[in-house]
Amino acid sequence: MNAGCLTIKELTEAVGGGITPRMVRHYHELGLLPQPERSPSNYRLYTEKDVMRLQKIVALKQQGFQINHIRQILEIQPETDTNSHLMAQLQQQYRAVMQQIAQLRQTASALEGLLGRDRHCQIMQAEVLAQVKLLDVETQAGLGDLAKLWSGLDAEVHTHSEVFAESLQHLLPDLSSRSEIEQHLISQLVLSCGDVSLVSFVRVGKNAIAASRAALSSGCEIIVDIPTIAAAVDQTRLVHLGCRVTTLIDNPHVSTATEAEVEFWQHQEWRQRLEQASIGCILVIGYAPSVLLEVCTLINQQKIQPSLVIGMPIGFSHAPAAKRQLRQQELPFITIDGTIGGGLLAATALNSLVESLIEKPDCHCYLGNS
């Protein structure tokens, strides 16, 4: 065997990340990994260059890139490609992905239109499904008949109010591994934005539910980043619990993520106020990514000690980075990965926790789960 070369088993051990020899062989078939040299006994032999390439593949997969996009990224030669060319390649990939998402979203919407029906609509729904199977849509007239069927199905919604919980039950993925309180939290977040795919991005840190209930029960301070969230939280129930709501960026003219970000950067007083956050408070951040980044910094410096951070700011670079930093903290958190967020979602998360505490004060379903 050549000196310095690795077998396929040694390669997977060197790379880690759950890579198996079978996956390596699959990457060879896909062209992600070049075919290696062979030993006299016909064993695959790998070099340090192969290790580095496989590590890149694993890292890109962990970041969410699909195989075809990984291949394109690996094919870009940094020695010959300018940065602008690389950005153009990535933008092209992004547009293609967004187009796929849009097409899948259309399919999901059609399925939601059928599955997301409560029992009052299901009789009409059954009739529509039966007729869809028999429908000939080869002609323009056939397409018109299909439109009539949807109209008939939609007409039923005028006979009663929507039963949200019942509709959602048909659409949510299996949440049985999560506590009852966490299931309620996720359901409320989905209902606040109407996007079931949000479930895949919600992250509830270890002991987050327990920490929130303990803090709220003790009448902790609630600190929100801008007035818009203060207006959206359940003030009546918070007063009942003895919790006071404080607005960090206390400027009534700030109502958007852009305004919140600029205001926090331009005025040092907001950073100083954040350093004065009371021990055991709950921080609710739904707009400014820089506020969450500063929270993580102050926690690392042990200058503030919140009991829970609900971090859901909006943004396309700083927000995802801030959320990743939050998940690395040794304290309870609730966040939504990526760019998704906003004040309504952040306030909904807090309101759900408050509601669960008041309506089920003796519930212990979350112990061992969160």
Side-chain angles (χ1 to χ4, degrees):
M1 191 172 292
N2 294 359
C5 289
L6 305 174
T7 65
I8 191 169
K9 182 179 179 182
E10 291 170 335
L11 171 70
T12 58
E13 291 174 349
V15 172
I19 288 293
T20 65
R22 182 178 179 181
M23 295 169 68
V24 173
R25 289 190 288 269
H26 182 56
Y27 291 154
H28 284 312
E29 295 173 359
L30 295 173
L32 287 179
L33 279 175
Q35 291 294 335
E37 295 183 12
R38 296 274 183 167
S39 71
S41 303
N42 203 34
Y43 286 104
R44 290 181 173 89
L45 299 178
Y46 297 92
T47 64
E48 186 62 29
K49 186 176 180 180
D50 294 314
V51 173
M52 294 178 63
R53 187 176 178 90
L54 187 54
Q55 286 174 334
K56 288 181 182 178
I57 294 171
V58 172
L60 289 168
K61 281 200 68 178
Q62 289 175 343
Q63 290 301 311
F65 287 95
Q66 302 299 308
I67 292 297
N68 58 326
H69 302 123
I70 293 174
R71 182 185 294 106
Q72 293 178 38
I73 291 173
L74 293 177
E75 287 174 355
I76 296 172
Q77 299 297 325
E79 297 83 2
T80 57
D81 285 288
T82 62
N83 185 59
S84 60
H85 181 65
L86 173 59
M87 290 300 295
Q89 291 280 333
L90 295 177
Q91 284 176 338
Q92 185 178 1
Q93 291 182 42
Y94 176 75
R95 294 189 186 104
V97 169
M98 293 306 295
Q99 186 176 9
Q100 293 171 5
I101 291 174
Q103 292 170 346
L104 289 171
R105 181 66 259 175
Q106 288 179 333
T107 302
S109 295
L111 290 170
E112 288 164 355
L114 294 172
L115 296 174
R117 302 279 172 170
D118 53 42
R119 63 183 180 274
H120 297 288
C121 292
Q122 285 176 356
I123 295 176
M124 177 66 75
Q125 177 191 33
E127 293 177 3
V128 170
L129 288 173
Q131 292 181 59
V132 166
K133 290 181 180 180
L134 302 174
L135 192 63
D136 178 9
V137 293
E138 295 294 329
T139 66
Q140 193 66 33
L143 291 173
D145 289 340
L146 182 58
K148 290 179 182 177
L149 292 178
W150 277 106
S151 296
L153 184 58
D154 291 340
E156 188 65 22
V157 303
H158 295 286
T159 64
H160 64 282
S161 60
E162 180 165 354
V163 186
F164 287 103
E166 192 173 320
S167 298
L168 197 58
Q169 184 179 0
H170 303 305
L171 300 172
L172 283 176
D174 182 15
L175 299 176
S176 59
S177 62
R178 300 175 183 255
S179 70
E180 183 180 343
I181 293 175
E182 195 169 332
Q183 289 180 38
H184 177 68
L185 166 66
I186 293 171
S187 297
Q188 294 303 107
L189 289 172
V190 170
L191 284 172
S192 70
C193 66
D195 187 354
V196 180
S197 68
L198 184 73
V199 175
S200 302
F201 301 96
V202 176
R203 300 287 179 261
V204 180
K206 183 179 180 181
N207 297 323
I209 303 299
S212 71
R213 291 171 74 84
L216 291 168
S217 297
S218 66
C220 70
E221 181 183 21
I222 309 294
I223 301 177
V224 302
D225 55 348
I226 70 172
T228 306
I229 299 183
V233 298
D234 193 335
Q235 297 273 2
T236 302
R237 282 176 166 155
L238 287 171
V239 168
H240 173 76
L241 292 171
C243 298
R244 175 172 57 93
V245 178
T246 302
T247 303
L248 177 65
I249 304 176
D250 193 14
N251 182 342
H253 301 293
V254 173
S255 60
T256 67
T258 301
E259 292 168 346
E261 188 76 352
V262 171
E263 182 76 11
F264 188 72
W265 272 99
Q266 290 184 347
H267 300 281
Q268 188 65 26
E269 63 180 293
W270 309 129
R271 294 175 183 269
Q272 294 171 348
R273 180 180 289 188
L274 184 58
E275 291 184 21
Q276 299 168 4
S278 58
I279 296 176
C281 68
I282 292 179
L283 291 167
V284 185
I285 303 161
Y287 285 91
S290 290
V291 173
L292 184 55
L293 286 169
E294 185 69 11
V295 165
C296 293
T297 298
L298 294 174
I299 291 172
N300 286 331
Q301 295 173 349
Q302 298 184 339
K303 291 184 177 180
I304 61 173
Q305 300 176 43
S307 59
L308 173 71
V309 178
I310 299 175
M312 301 179 183
I314 304 170
F316 300 98
S317 60
H318 288 49
K323 293 169 184 178
R324 284 192 290 269
Q325 289 190 25
L326 176 61
R327 291 181 61 182
Q328 295 170 4
Q329 303 301 315
E330 294 295 329
L331 59 78
F333 64 83
I334 300 174
T335 189
I336 299 174
D337 282 347
T339 63
I340 305 170
L344 177 59
L345 287 168
T348 297
L350 177 67
N351 290 341
S352 174
L353 296 172
V354 171
E355 178 188 354
S356 296
L357 176 61
I358 291 178
E359 294 188 359
K360 299 181 179 180
D362 299 319
C363 178
H364 298 97
C365 64
Y366 55 89
L367 295 178
N369 289 73
S370 58

